[in-house]
Amino acid sequence: MGQCGITSSKTVLVFLNLIFWGAAGILCYVGAYVFITYDDYDHFFEDVYTLIPAVVIIAVGALLFIIGLIGCCATIRESRCGLATFVIILLLVFVTEVVVVVLGYVYRAKVENEVDRSIQKVYKTYNGTNPDAASRAIDYVQRQLHCCGIHNYSDWENTDWFKETKNQSVPLSCCRETASSCNGSLANPSDLYAEGCEALVVKKLQEIMMHVIWAALAFAAIQLLGMLCACIVLCRRSRDPAYELLITGGTYA
């Protein structure tokens, strides 16, 4: 009965190690996705420390590849030392993922204040005639998120660009996709996106942070199961006298 329990635990453990390899790829993908998306919105969010959870989760993903290899070798060879090392590393990674979750929630709460502080400055420096990186970022966000201005399209009237152009129009990136003849004129507000960009940028960045949080939570749960199975194998092997005699070269009388 005990041997059956060990065998089933070993089977689950090997299967979990395979999952760890898959999890490693997913975690690295999530971290890379955060980096890529942050690059699109970095003008609206200047706090680079927000990338810490993404950096940590990529590091955890890379470590999971090594953990999966150690776990498989230790399980197949039934190595106590290997399994003990496996459990210790899993515990450290588990703690790290808990830290990622905490940091994710902390920075998720800071997103709104950071965006509110930065977005005003970015819109004031808009230059549609000879667009710089910040101006291109505004056009990208307005097209991508289907928004216009900070709170609505009327915010453009307070920008230097609007006052200099004197044509009573907003950037073409404010035009709805369905408005084929839109030229950005405020005389035709129905052609423009009605929603402001600030709320949508905040929502987008918070969603990104939630991806990191949920990924960390999901794989932390898998790691708990892995630690449990490894501990079962270790404990039952240490109590199995036949196993003790086997590894010491002894025999039954």
Side-chain angles (χ1 to χ4, degrees), residues 106-232:
V106 169
Y107 288 119
R108 185 176 180 273
K110 293 175 62 177
V111 164
E112 189 169 356
N113 291 333
E114 286 290 329
V115 171
D116 184 58
R117 186 178 64 185
S118 303
I119 199 169
Q120 301 275 354
K121 182 172 63 177
V122 177
Y123 268 84
K124 284 182 179 179
T125 60
Y126 182 83
N127 184 351
T129 307
N130 186 22
D132 54 10
S135 300
R136 290 194 298 271
I138 289 174
D139 286 329
Y140 171 82
V141 166
Q142 291 191 151
R143 289 194 181 98
Q144 195 74 11
L145 300 183
H146 297 168
C147 58
C148 183
I150 299 173
H151 302 104
N152 55 58
Y153 59 80
S154 65
D155 292 326
W156 279 105
E157 297 180 65
N158 300 319
T159 63
D160 294 336
W161 174 82
F162 183 89
K163 295 171 183 176
E164 288 172 5
T165 56
K166 299 178 181 179
N167 59 5
Q168 297 297 304
S169 65
V170 297
L172 294 179
S173 56
C174 280
C175 293
R176 295 178 182 272
E177 293 179 346
T178 54
S180 56
S181 60
C182 175
N183 60 3
S185 174
L186 291 177
N188 300 305
S190 60
D191 290 344
L192 308 175
Y193 292 122
E195 194 167 358
C197 292
E198 181 178 1
L200 294 179
V201 169
V202 169
K203 181 180 177 182
K204 182 69 174 180
L205 292 172
Q206 289 181 335
E207 284 178 354
I208 293 169
M209 202 55 65
M210 283 306 299
H211 291 329
V212 174
I213 292 171
W214 283 115
L217 284 174
F219 295 116
I222 294 173
Q223 286 166 224
L224 275 177
L225 184 57
M227 285 188 286
L228 178 62
C229 289
C231 287
I232 290 173

Side-chain angles (χ1 to χ4, degrees), residues 68-82:
L69 182 61
I70 293 174
C72 277
C73 292
T75 304
I76 292 171
R77 296 179 63 183
E78 299 182 353
S79 168
R80 284 190 192 177
C81 181

